[in-house]
Amino acid sequence: MTYDAGHYDVIVIGAGHAGVEAGLAAARRGAKTLMLTLNLDLVAFMPCNPSIGGPAKGIVVREVDALGGAMGRVIDKTHIQMRLLNTRKGPAVRALRAQADKPLYIKEMKRVLENQENLTLRQAMVEKVLVEDNQVKGVVTETKAAYYAPTVIVTTGTFMRGRVIIGDLSYESGPNNQRSTVSLSEQLEEMGIEMVRFKTGTPMRVNSHTIDYSKTEIQPGEEEPRSFSYETTEFITDQIPCWLTYTNEDTHKIINDNLGLSAMYSGAIKGTGPRYCPSIEDKIVRFNDKPRHQIFLEPEGRDTEEVYVQGLSTSLPEYVQNEMMRTVPGLEKAEIMRAGYAIEYDSVVPTQLWPTLETKQIEGLFTAGQLNGTSGYEEAAGQGLMAGINAAAKALDLEPLILDRSQGYIGVMIDDLVTKGTGEPYRLLTSRAEFRLMLRHDNADLRLTEIGYQLGLIPEDRYERFQEKKRLIEEEKKRLDKVILKETDEVQSVIEEAGGSKLKDAIRATDLLKRPEMNYSHLERLTPSEVSLPDDVKEQVEIQVKYSGYIKKALEQIDRMKKMETKKIPEDIDYDAIHGLATEARDRLKSVRPLSVGQASRVSGVNPADVSILLVYIEQGKIARVSGE
């Protein structure tokens, strides 16, 4: 017998990286929000690597921050090391990566949640979602508490029928020996939501006292202050290094000799694993020509001796893990504190979702995070933020938010998931974004802060600082465009020092800046600004001027894409009535139900000829509806 435990606008199931962003976003939009989690001591827990960011992923964290999310601010306060990656490459592929203090990250995120207005945080196991006439009504916990709400966001990560595997040992469990979620997974299937089985894994953790660091290479953080959040003003300076070592022929021999004991190769694991984050067994088999593989030793925090052995993810038996680990330089006497393991879990087929992340089958039911087939904390946070924004919008009768592929990596990811689906745990890569020159680490605020402010997720004082930054950038670009530099000794000396060829004629400062060897600091020496400009303003001026030609071409491509996105497809269109569509295209379009011709063009199995037929059909106004309309 259930009892009425309360009424809300939004209920979030789970408090991982998707759940916390979903709950915070919904609450900040003004929705009365309830967050239910299995264990309040493991809010925003990192079950795998102790890090945030990396290529593409780091840009997502900045986008989450630009929209008012919490991940960037929390990692800025709790990291032990931070680095900017790909600094020798162009701005489109640069990204921050921070090593996290895992226990401190949990503590700080829990503090943020507990102090958020409109948000209630409770420990509970949700047994089922209440649904009537394909409409969400709330949830029921195992203690028979019934919480009512018109929207529910499921962010259960890898807990759905989770099964941990170590060699021939397997047992039902979520990450870190937490309880798995079984009844909820079964209910989603009963409601007609298709699930697939995915797999991920994690390496062993070892005791720092037992590592011989003299045999490894130090990997320090950067001395230059860095931050994910545009709000951060205080920086951590006492950073802790990571360490680099390598596998060798002895390591590989032990793995090859014991492949039959690995759950990956014994048939014990049925789920599909992540291609871009393979186990050490997978690496040895797939890349058998490589004599060694990198192993990074990553401290898990300031107040723990646990060290994460990045690169040795495995499902081999524990005694084999010990054997292979002790062939690695520096780890000969290392003691395992936690064994590596694989985990298999249920995942929602994401083409069953609208771009808002609401399920097509059940109105008011949203899903976000690894449950949707993604593989990282950052991808989960981006989805959670969008699900929270849109669940609150639905509950409060506000406009939903759908980011397109030109606005952010979050938009790229969600469009990929709901339009193309994924046959393996999805990982964001810069190569997935056709407009990556526009989706940079440095300009996430310029792309998204206005949206965050309009949604009520960005406070007034932050928005005013943002507006001032935009003003300074535009004024400095205009000033430089008016400055004419002549062939003086000073000008020629600065150019020669930078490695460029001397001027033959006078030149605009902006044209000089477009030269590959020149940067803004050179112009500062030749034509200093009358006002003191912040470093991020100077960075924007340099990038926007230097890449203006490429940016102009990208904007033209974006305009063409948006014209296709504005050609909307009625939700109840009858694809069977459209003559000329290929059978595969018709079936895929009926399954995905794209909202626009642009989205239809990205559906797997739909070719340009099918898009042309669909476009003509819509433009002629011959819209046949499905039966009953």
Side-chain angles (χ1 to χ4, degrees), residues 60-183:
V60 169
V61 181
R62 296 213 103 196
E63 291 177 355
V64 167
D65 180 75
L67 286 166
M71 179 176 267
R73 284 183 286 117
V74 173
I75 191 62
D76 284 352
K77 289 183 178 180
T78 59
H79 67 268
I80 61 174
Q81 182 192 116
M82 190 175 290
R83 303 173 74 180
L84 183 64
L85 308 180
N86 297 328
T87 53
R88 295 182 181 179
K89 298 181 180 179
V93 294
R94 292 173 196 158
L96 279 175
R97 185 177 188 272
Q99 290 297 137
D101 185 319
K102 286 172 69 169
L104 192 57
Y105 187 91
I106 292 170
K107 183 178 178 181
E108 177 62 19
M109 187 65 83
K110 186 165 182 273
R111 187 192 66 79
V112 171
L113 293 170
E114 289 172 339
N115 287 282
Q116 176 60 51
E117 187 181 357
N118 293 328
L119 181 63
T120 299
L121 183 61
R122 286 190 185 152
Q123 182 167 293
M125 164 75 88
V126 174
E127 278 203 333
K128 69 176 180 178
V129 178
L130 296 172
V131 177
E132 291 179 15
D133 300 323
N134 290 328
Q135 164 70 56
V136 158
K137 297 297 181 183
V139 303
V140 175
T141 70
E142 66 180 354
T143 58
K144 307 307 176 189
Y147 297 97
Y148 298 94
T151 61
V152 170
I153 308 172
V154 186
T155 68
T156 47
T158 60
F159 284 80
M160 288 287 208
R161 284 195 287 226
R163 187 169 69 103
V164 164
I165 306 106
I166 307 172
D168 60 359
L169 168 69
S170 72
Y171 53 91
E172 282 192 1
S173 175
N176 202 41
N177 282 338
Q178 295 186 79
R179 297 169 65 192
S180 63
T181 302
V182 177
S183 59

Side-chain angles (χ1 to χ4, degrees), residues 518-536:
M518 303 299 291
N519 56 46
Y520 183 86
S521 65
H522 295 127
L523 292 192
E524 270 190 302
R525 291 163 59 184
L526 300 173
T527 171
S529 171
E530 293 180 1
V531 297
S532 177
L533 297 177
D535 289 342
D536 59 346

Side-chain angles (χ1 to χ4, degrees), residues 221-465:
E222 283 186 43
E223 291 185 10
E224 183 176 343
R226 304 279 188 189
S227 66
F228 280 100
S229 176
Y230 291 92
E231 289 189 279
T232 297
T233 56
E234 296 181 5
F235 300 91
I236 293 172
T237 56
D238 57 328
Q239 300 191 62
I240 296 175
C242 295
W243 306 83
L244 173 64
T245 184
Y246 297 89
T247 62
N248 51 51
E249 289 182 3
D250 292 338
T251 321
H252 300 184
K253 184 178 186 307
I254 289 171
I255 293 167
N256 277 316
D257 289 348
N258 291 279
L259 271 182
L261 301 177
S262 167
M264 282 293 297
Y265 291 91
S266 68
I269 291 178
K270 307 298 182 187
T272 305
R275 184 188 322 181
Y276 301 103
C277 188
S279 67
I280 189 63
E281 299 98 291
D282 245 2
K283 288 181 190 176
I284 301 307
V285 172
R286 286 165 52 188
F287 310 109
N288 57 21
D289 58 320
K290 294 190 177 297
R292 65 179 191 171
H293 294 280
Q294 289 183 326
I295 302 295
F296 289 96
L297 304 177
E298 303 175 344
E300 295 217 326
R302 295 178 188 276
D303 297 320
T304 175
E305 295 305 321
E306 286 192 69
V307 174
Y308 182 88
V309 187
Q310 173 77 271
L312 279 185
S313 178
T314 183
S315 61
L316 283 162
E318 189 174 305
Y319 73 90
V320 180
Q321 293 185 35
N322 267 301
E323 271 186 67
M324 72 171 178
M325 181 188 67
R326 287 176 177 163
T327 65
V328 176
L331 301 182
E332 294 91 345
K333 297 181 180 179
E335 294 179 3
I336 293 178
M337 297 178 73
R338 304 186 200 222
Y341 62 86
I343 184 167
E344 201 175 39
Y345 57 95
D346 285 351
S347 178
V348 168
V349 174
T351 51
Q352 299 168 104
L353 308 175
W354 297 117
T356 58
L357 297 180
E358 183 179 15
T359 61
K360 295 170 182 175
Q361 293 92 332
I362 308 296
E363 187 174 354
L365 181 65
F366 294 74
T367 61
Q370 278 192 262
L371 176 62
N372 286 346
T374 54
S375 64
Y377 311 143
E378 305 83 0
E379 289 95 334
Q383 290 176 70
L385 179 80
M386 297 302 290
I389 288 170
N390 288 318
K394 190 172 188 74
L396 302 176
D397 198 24
L398 302 170
E399 283 295 310
L401 174 66
I402 298 174
L403 295 179
D404 66 42
R405 298 179 70 89
S406 69
Q407 291 176 293
Y409 274 95
I410 294 174
V412 171
M413 168 180 60
I414 292 176
D415 183 68
D416 279 351
L417 291 171
V418 305
T419 304
K420 302 174 184 177
T422 182
E424 63 187 44
Y426 175 97
R427 179 178 180 176
L428 261 175
L429 306 165
T430 54
S431 59
R432 295 191 190 274
E434 59 270 51
F435 305 119
R436 58 185 170 274
L437 179 59
M438 308 302 293
L439 308 181
R440 303 186 308 274
H441 151 88
D442 60 84
N443 71 349
D445 59 337
L446 299 177
R447 291 184 277 119
L448 298 171
T449 297
E450 184 70 44
I451 295 172
Y453 177 70
Q454 296 300 328
L455 294 174
L457 303 177
I458 298 292
E460 194 69 39
D461 59 339
R462 177 174 174 179
Y463 184 66
E464 288 173 2
R465 293 194 300 272

